[in-house]
Amino acid sequence: MAAAVVLRHIDGTDFPFPPSPPSPPPSPPAPPPLPASAARVLITTDFLVMANVPITALLKSDNVALTGYYVTIPFKFYDYLDMPDCSDSNRDAFKAKVAAAFNVSDPSTITVSCRFNVPTSDQPILRRMMRAVSRLVQTVTTGTTPADVAVETSVTVKLPVDFPAAVASGCAKTEGLLASDVSCDTGSVTTKPSVTVSMSKSESVIAGGADPCTGAVSESANLLSALARDAGSSVNSNTLRSTGCKSQRVAGTTSDPNAPGATPVPGGAPGTAPTPGPSDSPSSASLSSGAIAGIVIGAVAGAVLIGFVGIAVRNKMSQRSPVTMVGRDGTTRTTTPRGWARGRWMTYSMQEKAEQARSGSAPVAGVSTY
């Protein structure tokens, strides 16, 4: 007996595959390197402005900044214990105590002017009469008799922008450091602003060991003069005094990212993947106890669910098992339930159909019995 197997494809039974994901976009090109800059020289010049110029007019330029005030404070001595005369040694000693009271690191930046009062007996009669009248008026207005001032001094010191608090504290400390009967007249304090002009020049200004402050002082003074002139005021060499100049060389930047001292580019060299840091690597130590418990419970629930699904499928398959039937003539026939062994392809056995034809079944088309 010959047997033949015919395979027939049923349309629509193919397994649907999801579409392929799109290809990732190309990586952007590396940014161009920053242009190289040459070394520069930063020059700062300090000025004492003695003219009546609005400070807001000078600060219109970005190169000008207010750094403080030069404050002149009168000190009056009523005896000669700390200031027996106006000699340099006595003024230097007084200057050192003022520097300690006002927290000034360099006492040489403090200026002390001194005036020694002569005895009144050597003065003309008219001056003595005017002095007596002045003391009488002061006694009537204040209710106290003014003491004779032995030495009058004026201290000029540079203080920060918020100078009133520094004046009150410094005066109290100075009076405590002196053995003399001294008073600090805070009501007669005068102030003058101190400004700083900053400029950036090329490295050529220091070529050959030249001093960059030589031309920077005059250039900065011209800038301040122009700003004061725009505000309707005027300054000259007597009302605008230079109190110091400093220069500093600033190294330039390079365009080569691999050069020594160059700023590193984030992500490494172009075309290379960045090296992951310690925080990029997964670590179980970063999971909390609640997260670990949730993962365990989810895994157990998933295993139980998969077990139930497997048992249901097994029961369903056992109900669809083939059924064997016995005919009247004693022949047996196995009946396949609907849906069993029907996949993507259906199989027909020609030999099985011939045996069914001999057993009295209806003839099958395409089968001949010899």
Side-chain angles (χ1 to χ4, degrees), residues 1 350 353-359 361-364 366-370:
M1 295 296 293
M350 303 301 293
K353 297 300 181 182
E355 292 178 356
Q356 292 177 2
R358 295 193 191 96
S359 62
S361 302
V364 180
V367 178
S368 300
T369 303
Y370 297 96

Side-chain angles (χ1 to χ4, degrees), residues 236-257:
N236 51 40
S237 58
N238 295 326
T239 57
L240 186 64
R241 298 181 181 179
S242 174
T243 57
C245 178
K246 296 180 181 179
S247 62
Q248 181 182 3
R249 182 182 180 275
V250 180
T253 59
T254 176
S255 60
D256 184 7

